[in-house]
C-alpha cells in the first residue's frame, strides 16, 4: 500500500547543441550523462551544468555533416572508461572519456539497427540491416552471427506426449466453444511501428530477447537466445504485438505491449515465449502508442513511455511517461508525467539510473535534462485521537483507494471506498490539523488539488439496499483548487503538505539546480478556486522530505545532504532556520533518509529518519541498523526489522541512549516490546488510541497484529481511569491474563471493587476473572511495567492474593445483591487457596431449604450444577460427606453420575450408627484420621481397642495422649504403645521416660540401660528397689558400656560408688588418661600400690605414644608441604607455556591456574561423568575420590591442602591432653620425659603455625598479583591481568569452593609448664 513520491527533480537546460539528442546513457561512477546527437557525443554533468568532454562525430566521418545521421545505440563501459556508440551506417565507435578520442572498432556494411550490451558488459549484441544478430565480446571479437528470422522454435521446443489435440483440452473461461474456434491470422504490425529490432537482456546476462518484424506475416515475433547465440525459444503468434520490449531484471518476465480490438495492454512473456499476465493501459484502443518500456534496476517499477496517436489542432502530440508498480498481483499506475504538446519539451530518450533504482533520467529535444528521484511512501492520516479513522490512501491512476483501518481491514487491491478524479493523481496528502485528519487532498497531473471530506449530512440508514451495513462512509469531493504555479516540466510542485484549511506548503525547483523554493499556497482573494503563492523562501539545497507534527505543529525539512531545517509559517513570511537541540547545537542527519517523522523523546523533539540502507537515526544519533519500516503513533515508536521482528517502544519513558540500548537488545522472555512477524513485513499504519498495527507482507496481503506493548499501555490507561469494562473485554479478546486487573494497582482495585462489579455486570465475566486468579504477580513476571514507570506496591497483609480478592469480591457482592451474584459468591469460596467447599455446599443447602423469591435468583439445582462444573464430582461428594449432612450428600450424589446402588447402602449404614461413631466412620472413610480419632475417643470404653489400633496404624500417639486423662488405663496403654514405637525408632531413652511416668519401672529400667542413660537407670533401680548384688551387677554392665564409649570418668563413678570396686574404677581412669581423678581415688581408698604397679607405667607408655605420634605427624606434614610446593611450581610452568603458545585468550589457561593440574609423568586419567546424576551421597564420595594424594592425580594440590589442614587440626586439639600428661610426669619426677614431650610438641606447633601462610597464601581464593618479572612474556602478563579482573567478580567457580580454608590454631589455650623451662 505504498505510493511513489517525488523526492527531488533536477532540471538542467545549460546544455545546447546542433540538432536534437538521439541517445543517452548514464555513467554509474560519476552520475554524468552521455548524450549522442547526429553531430557529436557529449559528457555532461547536470548538477553543475558543465560539459565534461565532447567529440565530434561528423569530423571523422562517422556521421554525415548534414545531420541526417542516426545513432542507434549508446552505452557507458565503466571498465574501459569509454563509451560505445553504434551508428545506422554500421560503425561501432569507442569514445575514450579521458582523452576524448574516437576510435572505430568495427564496421558492418549492411548497417546497424540496434546495439545492446549485456548487464555485465562482457558481450554486445548488434542487429544488422541484413536482419542478423552479431555477438561480440567486450574486446569486439566476433563470437557468432545468426539470422534473426529462423523457422526452428529453438532448444526449448515443447514436447508432445500424445495426450490428445489442443481442441480436446480444457480451455478455462473461454468454454467449449474455444475447441471449435479457428485460429485467427496474425495481423501485420501497425503503421507507426519503426520496424527496427528491439534487443533486451535478462538481468543475469545469460539470455537476451529480440523482437523483430517477421518478413512472412509482417507481425512482430520475439525470440530468446543464450550468450552463445543459440536460439532457445520463439514466442507464440501474438496478434497486435508492438515494438516495445524490456526484460525484467529479476529474470522472470519479458514486458511488451499488445493492441487488442477493445483495449491496449502491457503483456508479459515467459522465457519460453508464452504469454503470462497483462494489465490494461488507461487509454482507448487507438489513443496512444507505446514507444518504450523500461524496468528499473530492482524490478519494482515499470516505466511506460507513450505518445498520442493523433495530433491536436496545433499539429503537436502529447507525450506521457507512466510509472506502474505491482502488489498482490494487481498493477497500479502510481505516477503520470504529462509533457504537453510542445515539440521541444517532448522526451527523446528515457532511462533509469543503473545505480539508484528510483532515479529516472529524461532528455527532451531542446537538450534539457530532467532527473527525477522517487521514494516509497505510505500516505496515512496522522491523527492522535480516536476520531481518526487510520486512513491509508493508495494511488491508482485517476483513482485514490482509501481504506479506513479503524473500521475494517480490507486487503488490497480492494479498499473501503474509491475516490474518482478527472486526471491521474500524483500525490495525496491528509490534513495535518487535529480533528480534521480524515480529510484528504489529491494533487493531479493537470495541476489541480481536489479536496475530499466527510459528508456533513446525516446518514439516513446504517444498511444498504442489499442488507449489508456500511462500515465506512466515503469521502465527498468538496472543492477543486487550481494551482497557479508555473510548471516548466511535469511535477514542478512536490512535497505537498496540507497544514490547515486551504493552506498548503509545497516545494518547487529554484533557478539554481542545487536549491529549492518553498511555496506557501492560499486561495487568491479574487478567485477562491485558485491557489496562489502568498509567500516563498529559497533554501540552499534540495529539499527531499517535509513532515509535520500534529502534537507540536512543527514542520521539519530534510535536504539531500542530510541537513535538517525547521519551517516557520506562522508569521507574515515563510522562514527557515537550522534544527537545534536543547543545548543550541545544530543537528543534521549523517546521511540522507528516505522516510522521516517527528516525535518527542523524553520531552525533546527529534526528527527520525530511515535511510535506504535500513539505518534509523534520531537526529545525528544512529538508533538501529536493521530497520525495514517505522511509524510513530501517539507516544510509541513502532519498527519492523530485517530479523523479522516488530519492536514497540514508549518514547516518553526512554532517553535516546536507552532507545539505542533497547533496539540493540534481543529482548527477554517477557519483553513486551518485541514480537516476531512474518518475513518482509512492513508497517502500513497504526490505529491511534488502539492496539492494532497493520502490516503488509511482501506479496501485498495484510496482517493485523495487536502488539503487546500497545495492548498493555492501553490497558494501563483504562485501569488507571477505572474503565474496567473496556480493559476486561480487551484482555478477554487478546488472551491477556486477567490477574493484571488486580496486580496493576491492588490498593485502587480493592477500593473500587464495587465499580468493577458494576461495570462488568455479568456473572460469567466475574466468574471468569475469579477462575483465572493466581498467586503470581503478573506485573513482575508476565507483564513487567516499562522502565521508569512507578511500581505499585503489593499489600503486605500477610494474606495470599487469591484469598484477599475472593474475600473482597464476596463481601462486596453479598452487600450488593447476594441472590444475583450467588454463583460468583460460590466461586469465591471454591477458588480460595484452601477451598471452602463445605461453606459453598452449606449455602447450596440453604438455597434448597429456603428458595429465594427474588426474580432471577439462582435455584439450588443450578447452584449445585455450577459447583459440579468447578469441582470434581467425587471431591464434592466427599466434602459433602465431611459436613455430616446427609441431605446435602444426597443432593450432591443425585447430581453426579454415581449409581445409587453404590452410595445408598453406605449412607443407610451410616445413618444407623451412633452419632460419634458415625462421624468416626465418615472421617476414616475420608482419611481424616485425626478427626476420626477425636470422634472415636468419645464413643466409650468399648471402642478403645479400635482407637488403639487406629493410633498404631496412623502413628497418632501425641494426639491420642492429649485426648485421655493421665490417670486412666487408656493413657497407660497408649504410653506403652508409644514407648514400643520409640524403641523401634532407636529412641530408647524417651521410651524409658514414658514408661517411668506411666508406672512401668521395670520396662523403663530396661530402656534406660539399653540407651546408656545410667543416671535414670540407677534412679529407677533404687525406686524398685533392686537388691545390692543386682544393683552392683547393673552398675558393672553400665560401666562396661560407658568404657566402650570412652566415658571413663562416668564408668569409674559407677564402679566406685555402686559396684564398690575401687580398683576397677582406678584402672578405668588410668586407661582413660584421667590422671588427677585416678590419683584422687588412689589416696581416697589408700591404694598407693596401684601407683607403682599401674599409674607410673601408664604415664611412661602415654609419654612414648604421644612422642611417636607427634613425630609421625611432623614427618607427614613436612612431606606434604614439600610436595605441595613442587606441584604448584609445575602448574605455573605449564600455564606459562600454554599462554606463550596460544596467547592470553587460551581457554585452557584458566584450567591450569585454578582447577586442574599438569600430569607429572602419571599414566592415569580421571573422569567422574558417570556419577553426575547419582545421589548426593555418591556425589560426595566422588568428590572425596577426586582428592587423591597419588602423585599426578588431577586434584593433588587440593588433596595435599586438605591433608595438611587435618594434621594441624589434630595436633592443635592435643593441647589439653599434653598439659595433663605433663603435670602427671612432673609430679612423679619424670622431668626428662616431660621436658622432651613439651619440646617436641612446642616445635610441632611452631612449625605448623609458620607454614600456614605458605600453604594458604593471602588471596589464594581470589587470584595472585599480576604476573610480572624477567621470565614473563607479553602474553603471560596480559593473561595475568585478565584473570585478575575476571576473578574480582562476586561469582566464584566450583573449583574455588573446593579450596579448604586455613585452620584456626588455639593459641589462647595455656598448656606449657613453667617448671620445665
Amino acid at each position: 500500500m505504498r505510493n511513489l513520491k517525488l523526492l527531488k527533480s533536477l532540471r538542467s537546460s545549460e546544455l545546447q547543441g546542433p540538432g536534437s539528442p538521439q541517445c543517452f546513457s548514464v555513467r554509474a561512477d560519476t552520475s554524468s550523462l552521455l548524450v549522442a546527437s547526429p553531430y557529436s557525443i557529449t559528457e555532461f554533468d547536470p548538477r553543475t551544468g558543465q560539459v565534461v568532454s565532447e567529440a565530434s562525430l561528423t569530423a571523422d566521418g562517422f556521421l554525415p555533416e548534414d545531420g541526417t545521421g542516426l545513432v542507434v545505440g549508446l552505452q557507458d563501459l565503466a571498465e574501459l572508461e569509454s563509451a560505445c556508440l553504434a551508428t545506422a551506417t554500421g560503425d561501432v565507435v569507442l569514445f575514450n572519456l579521458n582523452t576524448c578520442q574516437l576510435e572505430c572498432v568495427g564496421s558492418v556494411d549492411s548497417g546497424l539497427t540496434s546495439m545492446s550490451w549485456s548487464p555485465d558488459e562482457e558481450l554486445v549484441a548488434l542487429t544488422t540491416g541484413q536482419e542478423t544478430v552479431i555477438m561480440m565480446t567486450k574486446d569486439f571479437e566476433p563470437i557468432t552471427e545468426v539470422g534473426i528470422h529462423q523457422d526452428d522454435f529453438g532448444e526449448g521446443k515443447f514436447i508432445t506426449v500424445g495426450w490428445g489435440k489442443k481442441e480436446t483440452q480444457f480451455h478455462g473461461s473461454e468454454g467449449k466453444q474455444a475447441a471449435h474456434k479457428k485460429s485467427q491470422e496474425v495481423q501485420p504490425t501497425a503503421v507507426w511501428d519503426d520496424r527496427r529490432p528491439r534487443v533486451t537482456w535478462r538481468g543475469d546476462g545469460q539470455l537476451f530477447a529480440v523482437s523483430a518484424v517477421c518478413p512472412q506475416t509482417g507481425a512482430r515475433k520475439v525470440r530468446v537466445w543464450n550468450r552463445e547465440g543459440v536460439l532457445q525459444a520463439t514466442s507464440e503468434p501474438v496478434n497486435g504485438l508492438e515494438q516495445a520490449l524490456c526484460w525484467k531484471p529479476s529474470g522472470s518476465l519479458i514486458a511488451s505491449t499488445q493492441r487488442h480490438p477493445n483495449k491496449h495492454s502491457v503483456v508479459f512473456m515467459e522465457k519460453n515465449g508464452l504469454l503470462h499476465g497483462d494489465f490494461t493501459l488507461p487509454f482507448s484502443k487507438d489513443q496512444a502508442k507505446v514507444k518504450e518500456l523500461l524496468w528499473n534496476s530492482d524490478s519494482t517499477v515499470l516505466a511506460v513511455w507513450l505518445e498520442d496517436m493523433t495530433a491536436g489542432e496545433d499539429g503537436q502530440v502529447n507525450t506521457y511517461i507512466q510509472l506502474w508498480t505491482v502488489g498482490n498481483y494487481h498493477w497500479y499506475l502510481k505516477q503520470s508525467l504529462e509533457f504537453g504538446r510542445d515539440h521541444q519539451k517532448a522526451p527523446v530518450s528515457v532511462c533509469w539510473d543503473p545505480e539508484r533504482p528510483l532515479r529516472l533520467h529524461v532528455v527532451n529535444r531542446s537538450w534539457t535534462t530532467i532527473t527525477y528521484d522517487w521514494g516509497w511512501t505510505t500516505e496515512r492520516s496522522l491523527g492522535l485521537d480516536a476520531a481518526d479513522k487510520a486512513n491509508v490512501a493508495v494511488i491508482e491512476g485517476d483513482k485514490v483507494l482509501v481504506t479506513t483501518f479503524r473500521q475494517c481491514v480490507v486487503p488490497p487491491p480492494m479498499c473501503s471506498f474509491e475516490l474518482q478524479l478527472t486526471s491521474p493523481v500524483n500525490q495525496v496528502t491528509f490534513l495535518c490539523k487535529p480533528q480534521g485528519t480524515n480529510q484528504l487532498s489529491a494533487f493531479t497531473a493537470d495541476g489541480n488539488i481536489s479536496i475530499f471530506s466527510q459528508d456533513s449530512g446525516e446518514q439516513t440508514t446504517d444498511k444498504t439496499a442489499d442488507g449489508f451495513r456500511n462500515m465506512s462512509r466515503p469521502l465527498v469531493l468538496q472543492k477543486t483548487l487550481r494551482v497557479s504555479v508555473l510548471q516548466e516540466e511535469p511535477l514542478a510542485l512536490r512535497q505537498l503538505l496540507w497544514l490547515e484549511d486551504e493552506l498548503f506548503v509545497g516545494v518547487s525547483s529554484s533557478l539554481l539546480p542545487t536549491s529549492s523554493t518553498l511555496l506557501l499556497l492560499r486561495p487568491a482573494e479574487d478567485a477562491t478556486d485558485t491557489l496562489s503563492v502568498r509567500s516563498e523562501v529559497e533554501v540552499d539545497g534540495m529539499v527531499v522530505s517535509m513532515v509535520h507534527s500534529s502534537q507540536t505543529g512543527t514542520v521539519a525539512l530534510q535536504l539531500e545532504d542530510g541537513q535538517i531545517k525547521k519551517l516557520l509559517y506562522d508569521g507574515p513570511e515563510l522562514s527557515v532556520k537550522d534544527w537545534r537541540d536543547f543545548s543550541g547545537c545544530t543537528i543534521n542527519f549523517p546521511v540522507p533518509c528516505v522516510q522521516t517523522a517527528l516525535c518527542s523523546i523524553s520531552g525533546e523533539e527529534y526528527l527520525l529518519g530511515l535511510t535506504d540502507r535500513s539505518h534509523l537515526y534520531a537526529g545525528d544519533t544512529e538508533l538501529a541498523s536493521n530497520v525495514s519500516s517505522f511509524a510513530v503513533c501517539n507516544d510509541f515508536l513502532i519498527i519492523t526489522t530485517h530479523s523479522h521482528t516488530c519492536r514497540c517502544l514508549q518514547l516518553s519513558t526512554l532517553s535516546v541512549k536507552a532507545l539505542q540500548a533497547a533496539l540493540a537488545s534481543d529482548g527477554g522472555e517477557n519483553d513486551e516490546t518485541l514480537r516476531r512477524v512474518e518475513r518482509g513485513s512492513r508497517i502500513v499504519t497504526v490505529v491511534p488510541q488502539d492496539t492494532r498495527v497493520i502490516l503488509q507482507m511482501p506479496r501485498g496481503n495484510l496482517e493485523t497484529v495487536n502488539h503487546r506493548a500497545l495492548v498493555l499501555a492501553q490497558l494501563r490507561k483504562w485501569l488507571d481511569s477505572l474503565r474496567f469494562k473496556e480493559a476486561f473485554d480487551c484482555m478477554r479478546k487478546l488472551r491477556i491474563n486477567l490477574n493484571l486487573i488486580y496486580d496493576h494497582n491492588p490498593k485502587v482495585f480493592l477500593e473500587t471493587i464495587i465499580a468493577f462489579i458494576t461495570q462488568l455486570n455479568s456473572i460469567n465475566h466475574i466468574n471468569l476473572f475469579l477462575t483465572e486468579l493466581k498467586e503470581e504477580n503478573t506485573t513482575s513476571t508476565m507483564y513487567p511495567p516499562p522502565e521508569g514507570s512507578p511500581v505499585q506496591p503489593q499489600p503486605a497483609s500477610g494474606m495470599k492474593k487469591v484469598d484477599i480478592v475472593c474475600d473482597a469480591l464476596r463481601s462486596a457482592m453479598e452487600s450488593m445483591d447476594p441472590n444475583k451474584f450467588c454463583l460468583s459468591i460460590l466461586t469465591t469460596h471454591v477458588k480460595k487457596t484452601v477451598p471452602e467447599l463445605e461453606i459453598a455446599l452449606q449455602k447450596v443447602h440453604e438455597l434448597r431449604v429456603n428458595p429465594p423469591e427474588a426474580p432471577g435468583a439462582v435455584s439450588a439445582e443450578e447452584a449445585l450444577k455450577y459447583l459440579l462444573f468447578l469441582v470434581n464430582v467425587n471431591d464434592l461428594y466427599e466434602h459433602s460427606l465431611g459436613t455430616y449432612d446427609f441431605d446435602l450428600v444426597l443432593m450432591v450424589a443425585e447430581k453426579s453420575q454415581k449409581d445409587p446402588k453404590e452410595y445408598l447402602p453406605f449412607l443407610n449404614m451410616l445413618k444407623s450408627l451412633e452419632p460419634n461413631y458415625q462421624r468416626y466412620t465418615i472421617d476414616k472413610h475420608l482419611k481424616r484420621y485425626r478427626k476420626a480419632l477425636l470422634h472415636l475417643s468419645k464413643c466409650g470404653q468399648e471402642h478403645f481397642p479400635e482407637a488403639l489400633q487406629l493410633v498404631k496404624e496412623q502413628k497418632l500417639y501425641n494426639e491420642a495422649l492429649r485426648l485421655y486423662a493421665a490417670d486412666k488405663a487408656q493413657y497407660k496403654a497408649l504410653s506403652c504403645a508409644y514407648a514400643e514405637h520409640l524403641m523401634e525408632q532407636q529412641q530408647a531413652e524417651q521410651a524409658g521416660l514414658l514408661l517411668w511416668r506411666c508406672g512401668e519401672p521395670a520396662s523403663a529400667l530396661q530402656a534406660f540401660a539399653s540407651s546408656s542413660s545410667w543416671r535414670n537407670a540407677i534412679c529407677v533401680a533404687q525406686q524398685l528397689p533392686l537388691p545390692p548384688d543386682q544393683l552392683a551387677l547393673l552398675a558393672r554392665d553400665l560401666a562396661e558400656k560407658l568404657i566402650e564409649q570412652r566415658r571413663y570418668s562416668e564408668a569409674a563413678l559407677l564402679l566406685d560408688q555402686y559396684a564398690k570396686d575401687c580398683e576397677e574404677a582406678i584402672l578405668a581412669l588410668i586407661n582413660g588418661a584421667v590422671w588427677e581423678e585416678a590419683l584422687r581415688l588412689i589416696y581416697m581408698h589408700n591404694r598407693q600400690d596401684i601407683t607403682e604397679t599401674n599409674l607410673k607405667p601408664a604415664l611412661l607408655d602415654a609419654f612414648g605414644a604421644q612422642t611417636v605420634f607427634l613425630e609421625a605427624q611432623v614427618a607427614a606434614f613436612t612431606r606434604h608441604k614439600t610436595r605441595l610446593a613442587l606441584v604448584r611450581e609445575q602448574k605455573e610452568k605449564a600455564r606459562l607455556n600454554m599462554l606463550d603458545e596460544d596467547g592470553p585468550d587460551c581457554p585452557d589457561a584458566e584450567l591450569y591456574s585454578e582447577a586442574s593440574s599438569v600430569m607429572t609423568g602419571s599414566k592415569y586419567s580421571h573422569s567422574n561423568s558417570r556419577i553426575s546424576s547419582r545421589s548426593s551421597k555418591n556425589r560426595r564420595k566422588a568428590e572425596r575420590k577426586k582428592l587423591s594424594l597419588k602423585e599426578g592425580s588431577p586434584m593433588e594440590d587440593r588433596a595435599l591442602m586438605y591433608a595438611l589442614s587435618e594434621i594441624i587440626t589434630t595436633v592443635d586439639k592435643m593441647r589439653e591432653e599434653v598439659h595433663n600428661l605433663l603435670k602427671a610426669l612432673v609430679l612423679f619426677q619424670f622431668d626428662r620425659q616431660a621436658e622432651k614431650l613439651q619440646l617436641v610438641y612446642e616445635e610441632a606447633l611452631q612449625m605448623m603455625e609458620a607454614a600456614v601462610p605458605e600453604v594458604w597464601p593471602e588471596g589464594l581464593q581470589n587470584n595472585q598479583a599480576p604476573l610480572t618479572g624477567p621470565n614473563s612474556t607479553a602474553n603471560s602478563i596480559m593473561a595475568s591481568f585478565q584473570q585478575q579482573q575476571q576473578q574480582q567478580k562476586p561469582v566464584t567457580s566450583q573449583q574455588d569452593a573446593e579450596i579448604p580454608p586455613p585452620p584456626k590454631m588455639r593459641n589462647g589455650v595455656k598448656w606449657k609448664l613453667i617448671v620445665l623451662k
Side-chain angles (χ1 to χ4, degrees), residues 573 587 1100:
E573 297 292 333
I587 301 297
L1100 294 175

Side-chain angles (χ1 to χ4, degrees), residues 180-200:
H180 307 287
K181 186 170 61 176
K182 295 182 180 180
S183 58
Q184 298 180 354
E185 293 185 0
V186 180
Q187 300 297 322
T189 186
V191 178
W192 56 267
D193 193 314
D194 59 11
R195 308 182 71 84
R196 288 171 48 197
R198 297 291 195 279
V199 181
T200 180

Side-chain angles (χ1 to χ4, degrees), residues 6 283 303-306 318-323 333-340 347 350 352 360-362 370-372 374 424-426 445 489-492:
L6 182 61
F283 299 99
V304 183
W305 177 13
L306 304 105
N318 203 351
T319 308
Y320 317 87
I321 294 179
Q322 295 181 342
L323 304 183
L333 173 57
K334 292 298 183 183
Q335 292 290 332
S336 181
L337 311 182
E338 297 185 5
F339 290 87
V350 180
W352 289 100
L360 183 68
H361 300 276
V362 178
I370 309 173
T371 301
Y372 295 101
W374 308 91
V425 180
N426 286 333
E489 74 274 352
L491 289 180

Side-chain angles (χ1 to χ4, degrees), residues 686-757:
V686 183
V687 182
Q689 302 297 332
D690 203 298
T691 62
R692 287 173 289 169
V693 179
I694 313 299
L695 303 175
Q696 187 170 26
M697 307 303 111
R699 187 173 66 90
N701 54 308
L702 300 180
E703 181 178 342
T704 302
V705 298
N706 290 274
H707 201 289
R708 181 58 54 89
L710 292 176
V711 172
L712 293 178
Q714 188 64 48
L715 288 175
R716 293 179 183 117
K717 289 181 183 178
W718 281 332
L719 293 175
D720 288 337
S721 58
L722 304 182
R723 297 169 61 184
F724 295 110
K725 175 65 175 174
E726 291 87 343
F728 181 87
D729 290 341
C730 178
M731 295 170 77
R732 190 164 66 99
K733 176 182 177 183
L734 301 178
R735 302 176 66 87
I736 303 295
N737 195 302
L738 296 176
N739 283 268
L740 183 63
I741 296 178
Y742 171 81
D743 295 334
H744 176 68
N745 195 328
K747 182 175 180 293
V748 171
F749 177 81
L750 295 176
E751 292 173 352
T752 59
I753 200 164
I754 294 180
F756 171 75
I757 298 171

